[in-house]
Amino acid sequence: MHRMQIKSFSARTLDANALKSFAHPLRLRMYELLEQHGPATATGLAARLGQNTGATSYHLRELAKHGMIEVVPGMGRGKEKYWRVTPGGYSYGEARPADPEVAGALDYLLDDLVRRRGEELSRWRQESDRAPEEWLAASAYGRRSLRLTPEETARMRDQVFEVLERYRALSDGRAESGAPGPAGQVVVHFDVLPLGSLPEE
């Protein structure tokens, strides 16, 4: 069985229904906007996306049903709801689903992940010349080509995820407290790609 790791250690693994629900272009875009810009209402998202509020409300409820997002306590007036990304993150799991429909949804999500990473890298290349000096000094591009065994590769991957999880907890705590400060959105791309691992024909 094909196995993969797309996770953080405390992340909730999406089940089959959540994978199929999330593999939707508008829901992915709404989740992305909430992640980038913080809490928003269905009306605010509708304005950004050129959609009607009924559509965004429906898709927000679908995302919430599967634990992807949640209502922010104490924000909004009356029936107005502000939504945010659920702290802790999520995982696509380790095994490729046997169900073709679920496997197709996972393929869609992985392709979108690759697309988004490319867009984020291109955006930073364009913005970096104008970025504040302290953020420029804190940024980095990284690539290494290593010769490792599968066991060493898995151990390295897990150690890196442990570090990322510590900072995920720090970020989630800051988001929940609403504490002001110089924090900004920082995107970390981390891939472990055993290229050339297929047997030669």
Side-chain angles (χ1 to χ4, degrees), residues 41-115:
T41 64
T43 302
L45 289 170
R48 279 182 174 271
L49 295 166
Q51 299 285 327
N52 64 67
T53 303
T56 53
S57 293
Y58 169 75
H59 290 299
L60 285 167
R61 290 194 300 272
E62 284 296 304
L63 288 168
K65 182 169 74 175
H66 297 288
M68 305 300 297
I69 64 172
E70 62 185 18
V71 174
V72 184
M75 286 188 76
R77 296 179 179 179
K79 295 183 179 180
E80 183 183 52
K81 294 179 182 178
Y82 276 82
W83 298 88
R84 70 182 176 194
V85 168
T86 303
Y90 61 88
S91 164
Y92 291 152
E94 301 178 17
R96 182 163 184 81
D99 184 322
E101 186 179 359
V102 182
L106 179 60
D107 284 340
Y108 182 89
L109 290 166
L110 293 177
D111 288 343
D112 187 75
L113 181 66
V114 171
R115 172 202 62 79

Side-chain angles (χ1 to χ4, degrees), residues 35-36 120 135 138-140 164 167-168 171 174 182-189:
E35 192 175 52
Q36 287 178 355
E120 288 168 344
W135 281 115
S139 69
L164 291 174
Y167 285 92
R168 158 71 80 175
S171 173
R174 179 173 286 127
Q185 186 192 24
V186 175
V187 174
V188 181
H189 295 153

Side-chain angles (χ1 to χ4, degrees), residues 134-173:
E134 64 270 22
W135 281 115
L136 194 59
S139 69
Y141 294 101
R143 182 186 181 279
R144 301 291 185 273
S145 180
L146 310 173
R147 296 194 66 79
L148 301 173
T149 66
E151 293 75 17
E152 291 165 343
T153 302
R155 186 164 62 249
M156 175 195 67
R157 177 206 63 208
D158 290 349
Q159 289 172 353
V160 172
F161 272 122
E162 286 172 2
V163 173
L164 291 174
E165 192 52 43
R166 292 203 298 271
Y167 285 92
R168 158 71 80 175
L170 177 66
S171 173
D172 286 348

Side-chain angles (χ1 to χ4, degrees), residues 7 10 14 23-24 32-33 44 94 109 112-113 127 166 186:
K7 66 177 184 178
S10 70
L14 302 186
H24 184 286
E32 187 176 331
L33 287 173
E94 301 178 17
L109 290 166
D112 187 75
L113 181 66
E127 292 181 355
R166 292 203 298 271
V186 175

